[in-house]
Amino acid sequence: MTNWKNLDTLDSYKALKACKGSVDLTTVMAGESGADRAKNYSVPMAEKLTYNFAAKEVDDTVLEKLAALAKEAELVDKFQELYNGAVINTGENRLVLHQMTRGQLGEPVKADGVDKRTFYVEQQNRIAEFANKVHNGEITNAAGEKFTTVVQIGIGGSDLGPRAMYLALENWAKKNGTFKMDAKFISNVDPDDAAAVLASTDVAHAIFVLVSKSGTTLETLTNESFVKDALAKAGLDASKHMIAVTSETSPLAKSDDYLAAFFMDDYIGGRYSSTSAVGGAVLSLAFGPDVFARFLNGAAAEDETAKNTDIRKNPAMLDALIGVYERNVLGYPATTVLPYSQALSRFPAHLQQLDMESNGKSVNRFGEPVDYPTGPVIFGEPGTNGQHSFYQLLHQGTDIVPLQFIAFKNSQIGTDVEIQGSTSQKKLCANVAAQIVAFACGKKDENSNKNFKGGRPSSIIIGEQLDPETLGALLAHFENKVMFQGFLWNINSFDQEGVQLGKVLAKKVLAHETDGALKVFSDLLNI
Ligand SMILES: O=P(O)(O)OC[C@H]1O[C@H](O)[C@H](O)[C@@H](O)[C@@H]1O
């Protein structure tokens, strides 16, 4: 059994605090020293990705102290307990098994009377069989015609991850001949979301995937009715156009309203569910089950790296430790994810939920207030778009915001043009390289308005090309990073009580059970 202790009680954390200010990026990232760091401060990930931390405010001494912290906080041992089936989600008294959807990292885990790895693989196989039948025309609409579009209805974890993954692989699949069906997504309870998606969809040839782990989410159930209404108006039988993905214990699980139902369970948090049936259904329908399997393999390979006790061989743990150093010792309140890849346009939105819903906590696993900052604010946009938007603050603003770049050597589609001696892909990569050094080193100017102080830390994950395996590895990296940070902060990263209050009050507003400010706002909004 491991010891769960608050970060500020650990001796290695106290030692780490003494390192504050010891690394000046404007100096160490300049000249030969910068070149050495760029070469050596790099850790291999799975699927030919590398995590490079040359431009972080660390040196060998800080790294030594981070390694001591990893050991004292028993990070790898805690991960081991997690994948061997301990009740890590103390708030909800649940196991945490999302890594098991992509592999068996440790001992078999039995829960609810079944072997959990077997259960997840069974669901994958059921989805694969269903998707193959849709693709080969064994499952069709009532007129015997093939389905051409899949529309996912879900919100939060039942939307963001699957949507980001779909967008990440859409062009890759088209280029590689594995694209099967267009996918669309309806998430918001704003009627304009469902109405606009439905208006652009040939509903007679669409299969809808209703995704809700709990089966009780207001937005999703409302959108289900919205879609059923549209299907009825088109003279179609909704039960022949809709499948469900839910947990076996949810109210949806036993309903006859669906063509088929696929299951996840309570041991997979919504924001960790992209590799479960939640992502599996839409991605297998859109790209084929083989592509989904390759995505899982990439995630599994990255999960294996997270078992390593050596911080130079465990990129997620190293990334997590540096993040906590930045948050708690250096005092940086936010971080930004900047993929230099248009395919990852919704990846930052997914990471917002993954990170902030997991680690936005003020009490530890035992319900006691913690005296130190926990999860940072996280936001992002693809580069180079972000450069023409919010980078001004990142370069010259009063807050230092650590940056997390992601870039690939090759584009997905391969169509490119050479202008002024370079392709667009080279221009994209040149920009990310330039930004790393610009942020770290800055540039002196006598005109203070044009002066760049530098000293702004960044990391970069570099890959060959964004494909199913690299995407899986990338996703697993961030999931595992968030998990390790939760361990360091001694918080439960797997529940989300903070989202409840607003939902309860919204119900009161709709029932007109309001007074005070709530009543006035209800009137102002004409509810
Ligand atoms: O999948 P569902 O049960 O419908 O939940 C959808 C989402 O809503 C909740 O409010 C939570 O904040 C999210 O963690 C969850 O992913």
Side-chain angles (χ1 to χ4, degrees), residues 188-223:
N188 203 336
V189 76
D190 178 344
D192 289 346
D193 190 6
V197 171
L198 288 169
S200 68
T201 302
D202 168 14
V203 290
H205 298 94
I207 190 158
F208 293 85
V209 191
L210 182 81
V211 187
S212 179
K213 173 183 164 180
S214 62
T216 58
T217 303
L218 171 90
E219 290 88 336
T220 302
L221 298 181
T222 304
N223 280 325

Side-chain angles (χ1 to χ4, degrees), residues 135-285:
H135 298 150
N136 68 24
E138 276 180 68
I139 295 175
T140 61
N141 69 6
E145 297 155 342
K146 277 193 178 187
F147 290 112
T148 55
T149 305
V150 46
V151 183
Q152 174 136 331
I153 308 167
I155 198 166
S158 297
D159 167 58
L160 291 161
R163 191 195 292 249
M165 301 305 124
Y166 172 77
L167 292 173
L169 293 180
E170 185 182 6
N171 287 321
W172 178 89
K174 284 180 178 161
K175 177 73 186 172
N176 288 275
T178 67
F179 189 81
K180 310 277 184 198
M181 296 167 82
D182 267 318
K184 299 182 178 195
F185 296 84
I186 299 173
S187 55
N188 203 336
V189 76
D190 178 344
D192 289 346
D193 190 6
V197 171
L198 288 169
S200 68
T201 302
D202 168 14
V203 290
H205 298 94
I207 190 158
F208 293 85
V209 191
L210 182 81
V211 187
S212 179
K213 173 183 164 180
S214 62
T216 58
T217 303
L218 171 90
E219 290 88 336
T220 302
L221 298 181
T222 304
N223 280 325
E224 179 188 21
S225 301
F226 206 113
V227 166
K228 281 184 170 166
D229 188 53
L231 288 168
K233 282 182 182 144
L236 300 163
D237 176 355
S239 69
K240 298 280 183 292
H241 282 261
M242 214 173 248
I243 64 174
V245 178
T246 189
S247 67
E248 284 179 304
T249 49
S250 102
L252 301 179
K254 307 266 171 309
S255 165
D256 291 332
D257 290 356
Y258 310 103
L259 203 51
F262 303 105
F263 302 108
M264 37 125 47
D265 61 24
D266 283 345
Y267 312 127
I268 299 176
R271 55 196 175 274
Y272 298 93
S273 66
S274 296
T275 53
S276 76
V278 167
V282 65
L283 297 175
S284 299
L285 283 164

